[in-house]
Amino acid sequence: MTTMTFTRKDPPQWLLDFWKEIDDKTFGKGFDCFAHDAVCNLGVADWHGRDAIRENLRQFIDRGFTAHHDVVEYWDGGSLKVFHGKVRMTFDDPALPVVRPAMAHFFYMDEKDPAKVRRWLGSVGPIEF
């Protein structure tokens, strides 16, 4: 069994920069928070490598909506960071309503470089639009 203590904190700049890259659809330096060979399991996604994470998120976001991520809470456990938030999804099709699903994300930090994310596990609702 492993025991870990978490402290609720303000979200770190690397996390805010990462979400901003997605919200602004720029997909630039905010992705530098990931190790070069990071793994992302976002829903059913299984993406390997920082560049693959960046490109796959770009393709997903460019499918007809704009996102805006809001922090609800951020918990720091040292090698594991937990993020809970809401994402406002505004669709290009004005007939579709804006949705605000909840998100939960686990960021496992790299053992050799604790400033980098080694693995990202995330879940975002809704289950349908």
Side-chain angles (χ1 to χ4, degrees):
M1 179 168 72
T2 302
T3 301
M4 186 176 284
T5 301
F6 286 85
T7 303
R8 187 173 181 164
K9 295 182 173 182
D10 290 333
Q13 194 61 50
W14 65 262
L15 185 63
L16 298 174
D17 291 346
F18 168 63
W19 293 131
K20 185 170 177 24
E21 293 285 356
I22 296 170
D23 294 348
D24 292 349
K25 296 186 177 187
T26 50
F27 299 94
K29 289 190 175 277
F31 282 78
D32 290 350
C33 64
F34 291 99
H36 180 72
D37 58 349
V39 174
C40 171
N41 298 111
L42 182 61
V44 298
D46 184 31
W47 303 327
H48 294 256
R50 178 176 49 222
D51 293 336
I53 294 168
R54 181 191 333 256
E55 188 54 35
N56 282 294
L57 276 173
R58 179 193 321 266
Q59 290 177 21
F60 175 69
I61 296 294
D62 282 346
R63 288 188 187 164
F65 71 94
T66 299
H68 177 80
H69 294 82
D70 291 312
V71 175
V72 174
E73 56 188 325
Y74 172 81
W75 291 85
D76 190 332
S79 62
L80 174 60
K81 318 297 186 191
V82 178
F83 170 83
H84 167 224
K86 294 267 189 178
V87 58
R88 183 179 69 239
M89 300 168 82
T90 305
F91 296 93
D92 296 345
D93 180 348
L96 295 174
V98 172
V99 296
R100 287 191 42 84
M103 307 180 296
H105 298 279
F106 296 86
F107 296 97
Y108 293 86
M109 307 311 284
D110 189 86
E111 292 175 1
K112 295 175 187 163
D113 184 356
K116 300 284 185 184
V117 176
R118 165 69 54 206
R119 186 161 186 213
W120 170 27
L121 300 173
S123 178
V124 180
I127 57 170
E128 64 184 1
F129 293 117

